[in-house]
mmCIF file of all heavy atoms in Angstrom:
data_model
loop_
_atom_site.group_PDB
_atom_site.id
_atom_site.type_symbol
_atom_site.label_atom_id
_atom_site.label_comp_id
_atom_site.label_asym_id
_atom_site.label_seq_id
_atom_site.Cartn_x
_atom_site.Cartn_y
_atom_site.Cartn_z
ATOM 1 N N MET B 1 2.551 27.599 -29.646
ATOM 2 C CA MET B 1 2.183 26.495 -30.564
ATOM 3 C C MET B 1 2.303 25.141 -29.864
ATOM 4 O O MET B 1 1.429 24.285 -30.012
ATOM 5 C CB MET B 1 3.124 26.537 -31.786
ATOM 6 C CG MET B 1 2.655 25.668 -32.939
ATOM 7 S SD MET B 1 1.021 26.180 -33.529
ATOM 8 C CE MET B 1 0.707 24.941 -34.720
ATOM 9 N N ARG B 2 3.395 24.995 -29.041
ATOM 10 C CA ARG B 2 3.581 23.743 -28.311
ATOM 11 C C ARG B 2 2.431 23.512 -27.340
ATOM 12 O O ARG B 2 1.955 22.407 -27.146
ATOM 13 C CB ARG B 2 4.897 23.805 -27.523
ATOM 14 C CG ARG B 2 6.064 23.243 -28.321
ATOM 15 C CD ARG B 2 7.237 23.064 -27.456
ATOM 16 N NE ARG B 2 7.588 24.284 -26.720
ATOM 17 C CZ ARG B 2 8.583 24.378 -25.881
ATOM 18 N NH1 ARG B 2 9.356 23.351 -25.639
ATOM 19 N NH2 ARG B 2 8.851 25.503 -25.242
ATOM 20 N N ARG B 3 1.986 24.624 -26.745
ATOM 21 C CA ARG B 3 0.878 24.576 -25.782
ATOM 22 C C ARG B 3 -0.415 24.104 -26.481
ATOM 23 O O ARG B 3 -1.134 23.268 -25.969
ATOM 24 C CB ARG B 3 0.679 25.983 -25.208
ATOM 25 C CG ARG B 3 -0.021 26.013 -23.912
ATOM 26 C CD ARG B 3 0.052 27.367 -23.298
ATOM 27 N NE ARG B 3 1.394 27.633 -22.759
ATOM 28 C CZ ARG B 3 1.758 28.765 -22.191
ATOM 29 N NH1 ARG B 3 0.904 29.728 -22.069
ATOM 30 N NH2 ARG B 3 2.968 28.924 -21.724
ATOM 31 N N LEU B 4 -0.626 24.654 -27.673
ATOM 32 C CA LEU B 4 -1.837 24.276 -28.423
ATOM 33 C C LEU B 4 -1.789 22.796 -28.776
ATOM 34 O O LEU B 4 -2.798 22.098 -28.640
ATOM 35 C CB LEU B 4 -1.921 25.141 -29.708
ATOM 36 C CG LEU B 4 -3.096 24.843 -30.617
ATOM 37 C CD1 LEU B 4 -4.401 25.199 -29.947
ATOM 38 C CD2 LEU B 4 -2.965 25.610 -31.927
ATOM 39 N N ILE B 5 -0.598 22.317 -29.197
ATOM 40 C CA ILE B 5 -0.465 20.905 -29.555
ATOM 41 C C ILE B 5 -0.747 20.039 -28.329
ATOM 42 O O ILE B 5 -1.466 19.047 -28.414
ATOM 43 C CB ILE B 5 0.935 20.621 -30.143
ATOM 44 C CG1 ILE B 5 1.072 21.312 -31.488
ATOM 45 C CG2 ILE B 5 1.196 19.115 -30.282
ATOM 46 C CD1 ILE B 5 2.478 21.384 -32.025
ATOM 47 N N ALA B 6 -0.193 20.442 -27.173
ATOM 48 C CA ALA B 6 -0.399 19.677 -25.937
ATOM 49 C C ALA B 6 -1.896 19.610 -25.591
ATOM 50 O O ALA B 6 -2.412 18.541 -25.241
ATOM 51 C CB ALA B 6 0.376 20.298 -24.794
ATOM 52 N N ILE B 7 -2.581 20.734 -25.741
ATOM 53 C CA ILE B 7 -4.006 20.778 -25.419
ATOM 54 C C ILE B 7 -4.810 19.929 -26.389
ATOM 55 O O ILE B 7 -5.729 19.220 -25.980
ATOM 56 C CB ILE B 7 -4.499 22.264 -25.397
ATOM 57 C CG1 ILE B 7 -3.879 23.056 -24.256
ATOM 58 C CG2 ILE B 7 -6.017 22.359 -25.356
ATOM 59 C CD1 ILE B 7 -4.251 22.602 -22.858
ATOM 60 N N ILE B 8 -4.435 19.971 -27.663
ATOM 61 C CA ILE B 8 -5.144 19.142 -28.671
ATOM 62 C C ILE B 8 -4.949 17.652 -28.317
ATOM 63 O O ILE B 8 -5.906 16.885 -28.323
ATOM 64 C CB ILE B 8 -4.660 19.462 -30.092
ATOM 65 C CG1 ILE B 8 -5.137 20.870 -30.501
ATOM 66 C CG2 ILE B 8 -5.170 18.438 -31.105
ATOM 67 C CD1 ILE B 8 -4.567 21.408 -31.762
ATOM 68 N N ILE B 9 -3.697 17.289 -27.968
ATOM 69 C CA ILE B 9 -3.427 15.881 -27.623
ATOM 70 C C ILE B 9 -4.252 15.456 -26.394
ATOM 71 O O ILE B 9 -4.867 14.405 -26.372
ATOM 72 C CB ILE B 9 -1.911 15.659 -27.389
ATOM 73 C CG1 ILE B 9 -1.165 15.812 -28.706
ATOM 74 C CG2 ILE B 9 -1.637 14.273 -26.780
ATOM 75 C CD1 ILE B 9 0.349 15.872 -28.579
ATOM 76 N N ILE B 10 -4.270 16.330 -25.381
ATOM 77 C CA ILE B 10 -5.031 16.030 -24.157
ATOM 78 C C ILE B 10 -6.514 15.854 -24.491
ATOM 79 O O ILE B 10 -7.153 14.902 -24.059
ATOM 80 C CB ILE B 10 -4.844 17.141 -23.095
ATOM 81 C CG1 ILE B 10 -3.396 17.134 -22.566
ATOM 82 C CG2 ILE B 10 -5.820 16.960 -21.937
ATOM 83 C CD1 ILE B 10 -3.057 18.297 -21.654
ATOM 84 N N SER B 11 -7.053 16.795 -25.295
ATOM 85 C CA SER B 11 -8.486 16.739 -25.651
ATOM 86 C C SER B 11 -8.811 15.444 -26.381
ATOM 87 O O SER B 11 -9.798 14.773 -26.045
ATOM 88 C CB SER B 11 -8.877 17.930 -26.516
ATOM 89 O OG SER B 11 -8.496 19.107 -25.908
ATOM 90 N N ILE B 12 -7.972 15.109 -27.370
ATOM 91 C CA ILE B 12 -8.243 13.882 -28.154
ATOM 92 C C ILE B 12 -8.148 12.653 -27.232
ATOM 93 O O ILE B 12 -8.997 11.758 -27.301
ATOM 94 C CB ILE B 12 -7.265 13.775 -29.348
ATOM 95 C CG1 ILE B 12 -7.591 14.878 -30.359
ATOM 96 C CG2 ILE B 12 -7.375 12.412 -30.039
ATOM 97 C CD1 ILE B 12 -6.599 15.039 -31.465
ATOM 98 N N SER B 13 -7.131 12.631 -26.374
ATOM 99 C CA SER B 13 -6.983 11.502 -25.446
ATOM 100 C C SER B 13 -8.201 11.359 -24.549
ATOM 101 O O SER B 13 -8.676 10.245 -24.324
ATOM 102 C CB SER B 13 -5.753 11.679 -24.547
ATOM 103 O OG SER B 13 -4.648 11.995 -25.304
ATOM 104 N N LEU B 14 -8.720 12.481 -24.046
ATOM 105 C CA LEU B 14 -9.898 12.445 -23.181
ATOM 106 C C LEU B 14 -11.097 11.897 -23.926
ATOM 107 O O LEU B 14 -11.832 11.052 -23.359
ATOM 108 C CB LEU B 14 -10.216 13.857 -22.652
ATOM 109 C CG LEU B 14 -9.305 14.367 -21.521
ATOM 110 C CD1 LEU B 14 -9.614 15.824 -21.220
ATOM 111 C CD2 LEU B 14 -9.479 13.546 -20.253
ATOM 112 N N ILE B 15 -11.286 12.346 -25.162
ATOM 113 C CA ILE B 15 -12.439 11.891 -25.952
ATOM 114 C C ILE B 15 -12.326 10.378 -26.212
ATOM 115 O O ILE B 15 -13.278 9.625 -26.039
ATOM 116 C CB ILE B 15 -12.572 12.675 -27.258
ATOM 117 C CG1 ILE B 15 -12.944 14.139 -26.946
ATOM 118 C CG2 ILE B 15 -13.613 12.061 -28.195
ATOM 119 C CD1 ILE B 15 -12.792 15.084 -28.093
ATOM 120 N N ILE B 16 -11.101 9.934 -26.594
ATOM 121 C CA ILE B 16 -10.902 8.510 -26.868
ATOM 122 C C ILE B 16 -11.162 7.672 -25.614
ATOM 123 O O ILE B 16 -11.872 6.665 -25.650
ATOM 124 C CB ILE B 16 -9.472 8.254 -27.422
ATOM 125 C CG1 ILE B 16 -9.337 8.856 -28.818
ATOM 126 C CG2 ILE B 16 -9.127 6.759 -27.448
ATOM 127 C CD1 ILE B 16 -7.931 8.860 -29.364
ATOM 128 N N LEU B 17 -10.603 8.130 -24.509
ATOM 129 C CA LEU B 17 -10.746 7.407 -23.242
ATOM 130 C C LEU B 17 -12.210 7.301 -22.819
ATOM 131 O O LEU B 17 -12.700 6.228 -22.440
ATOM 132 C CB LEU B 17 -9.920 8.095 -22.144
ATOM 133 C CG LEU B 17 -9.795 7.351 -20.845
ATOM 134 C CD1 LEU B 17 -8.878 6.148 -21.042
ATOM 135 C CD2 LEU B 17 -9.217 8.253 -19.765
ATOM 136 N N ALA B 18 -12.916 8.443 -22.935
ATOM 137 C CA ALA B 18 -14.328 8.475 -22.527
ATOM 138 C C ALA B 18 -15.165 7.574 -23.408
ATOM 139 O O ALA B 18 -16.022 6.817 -22.896
ATOM 140 C CB ALA B 18 -14.837 9.911 -22.562
#
Side-chain angles (χ1 to χ4, degrees):
Chain B
M1 193 60 184
R2 269 191 307 180
R3 201 169 287 179
L4 179 66
I5 292 167
I7 293 295
I8 290 170
I9 292 169
I10 292 172
S11 306
I12 292 171
S13 310
L14 283 173
I15 292 167
I16 291 171
L17 190 71

